[in-house]
Amino acid sequence: EKVPADAQAFKDELARITKYCTDLQNNTRIECDKYSNDVKFWAEYRTGIKEFTPWLVGAEKATGEGLAKPADLDEVKALNEKVVSFEKNCVNYLKVLTAAETASKLMTTHTEADNEVAALKGRFDQVKGVADGWVKKVDTLVKEWVLLDNTVVELNSWVAKDKSAEGENQFSLEKMESTLGELKNIFKEKEKLVENL
């Protein structure tokens, strides 16, 4: 049976409005989901940045102050532990920054976050470069200082053992001069390394 024209017009308008409302509801749900996810990712991003930034400020301060000049082998070993620990902290905090960056990339818009991460990464790279340099320098210093220490011990034991029963030294001057020359060179190298810290 035929529906009157004005009734059909109302039916068509009702169908159009119903479709419009359904589409609006679906689009609103999608936007709310995006917003909900953005809030979650933004919170992860901000948490990472809040953890990373104070560490970075402290690390920049530490690299600006430099290293203490050690006076003996024990101080060099302690300094070595300190710089190795500092370098490991750099690696661990880079993971924090990377996690924050990953979370920011999942946000709908992340240009501002990208810029902030890039700036922090640049500052981090400077700190990491200093840390790597410190590890290398202090490792070399430890090796030189241990060599110096071992050479002194060897020289002392060699001089002590080369005494005759009458208490006279039985060592050769050539061997003594050679060992002292080596000792002098090692000491100079160690002093140069300490100066360059």
Side-chain angles (χ1 to χ4, degrees):
E1 151 175 353
K2 188 163 175 167
V3 178
D6 56 342
Q8 188 60 47
F10 283 121
K11 258 178 101 175
D12 292 345
E13 183 63 14
L14 182 61
R16 185 190 68 75
I17 292 172
T18 304
K19 182 183 181 320
Y20 175 79
C21 288
T22 305
D23 290 348
L24 184 61
Q25 182 182 14
N26 290 335
N27 288 340
T28 304
R29 186 176 298 117
I30 290 168
E31 288 303 312
C32 285
D33 288 346
K34 282 183 190 175
Y35 179 76
S36 175
N37 285 333
D38 274 358
V39 169
K40 181 180 90 172
F41 296 134
W42 185 82
E44 289 175 17
Y45 162 74
R46 289 308 309 160
T47 300
I49 297 301
K50 282 183 178 181
E51 183 180 345
F52 180 81
T53 303
W55 170 83
L56 181 62
V57 169
E60 287 172 329
K61 184 178 182 222
T63 58
E65 292 170 356
L67 296 175
K69 308 283 187 218
D72 60 32
L73 182 57
D74 289 336
E75 287 182 17
V76 173
K77 288 179 178 177
L79 184 62
N80 189 47
E81 286 178 25
K82 178 183 172 185
V83 297
V84 166
S85 172
F86 184 79
E87 194 274 335
K88 283 181 183 172
N89 268 344
C90 288
V91 171
N92 290 336
Y93 275 95
L94 178 60
K95 292 175 186 171
V96 171
L97 182 61
T98 303
E101 180 181 26
T102 301
S104 77
K105 298 276 188 212
L106 298 172
M107 296 187 306
T108 307
T109 57
H110 48 80
T111 308
E112 188 178 313
D114 291 347
N115 294 340
E116 185 176 15
V117 167
L120 290 172
K121 181 78 168 76
R123 290 169 56 193
F124 169 83
D125 289 343
Q126 289 178 329
V127 167
K128 181 71 165 87
V130 170
D132 291 343
W134 282 356
V135 168
K136 188 176 177 186
K137 285 179 181 178
V138 174
D139 183 57
T140 303
L141 181 59
V142 167
K143 289 175 183 166
E144 283 295 321
W145 213 307
V146 166
L147 180 63
L148 177 66
D149 213 45
N150 290 343
T151 305
V152 167
V153 168
E154 179 185 331
L155 182 63
N156 285 340
S157 68
W158 174 66
V159 168
K161 136 179 117 172
D162 276 350
K163 288 194 176 197
S164 67
E166 297 83 39
E168 294 177 17
N169 290 329
Q170 301 295 313
F171 52 82
S172 74
L173 283 176
E174 293 83 21
K175 185 175 178 185
M176 176 70 112
E177 283 178 7
S178 158
T179 306
L180 287 175
E182 182 184 339
L183 196 58
K184 184 178 173 184
N185 289 338
I186 295 169
F187 184 77
K188 280 182 183 176
E189 182 63 25
K190 185 244 348 158
E191 288 296 308
K192 189 171 82 176
L193 290 168
V194 168
E195 194 57 41
N196 289 333
L197 280 181

